Every structure is written in C-alpha cells, then in structure tokens.
Amino acid sequence: ISVCNALYIPRTCVSAFIYNSPEVQADCLIDKPNSCVLRFTSGLINLMDEKEFEFIAGHELGHFF
C-alpha cells in the first residue's frame, strides 16, 4: 500500500500475489489499461526485507506506467 501511495496509484488498480517457486522473479502483468497484477516468487520474498520488497514492487509498477 505504501508503494502505491508514494507513486499516486490507486490501490484498487493493483493486485499482487506470491507464488511458490525457488526462483527469484517478479513481474507485472497489465491486464487492463488501468489495472495490473504484480507477481512475486516465494524465493524472492524469502531474500528481501521490507524496504527491498518496496523497491522491487516500485520497479514492477514502473512497467505499469
């Protein structure tokens, strides 16, 4: 939520989920002109602290812009 606020993106425009995989991956799927889905692997989540996660989420939201 803090990343969406910092980037002035309505929270309702972004969905996110974590899927089980040892790989270190994140991506942004733009499903409509005004919404996207962020996907993160559990392998990535297990490596990051909160600030690192916010950075990765912000990077992925950059693809949405």
Side-chain angles (χ1 to χ4, degrees), residues 1 15 46 57-58 65:
I1 294 175
S15 298
N46 289 332
F65 284 127

Side-chain angles (χ1 to χ4, degrees), residues 1 10-11 22 24 29 31 43 45 54-55:
I1 294 175
R11 177 59 188 90
V24 178
L29 303 171
D31 58 347
I45 296 299
E54 289 175 352
F55 178 86

Side-chain angles (χ1 to χ4, degrees), residues 14-60:
V14 180
S15 298
F17 69 94
I18 300 166
Y19 63 97
N20 189 26
S21 173
E23 295 181 14
V24 178
Q25 297 289 327
D27 58 43
C28 177
L29 303 171
I30 300 170
D31 58 347
K32 297 177 187 171
N34 62 347
S35 68
C36 69
V37 178
L38 303 182
R39 300 185 321 158
F40 306 94
T41 62
S42 57
L44 178 66
I45 296 299
N46 289 332
L47 292 175
M48 297 185 297
D49 64 26
E50 185 176 345
K51 291 295 182 188
E52 291 168 324
F53 175 75
E54 289 175 352
F55 178 86
I56 297 297
H59 170 88
E60 293 305 324

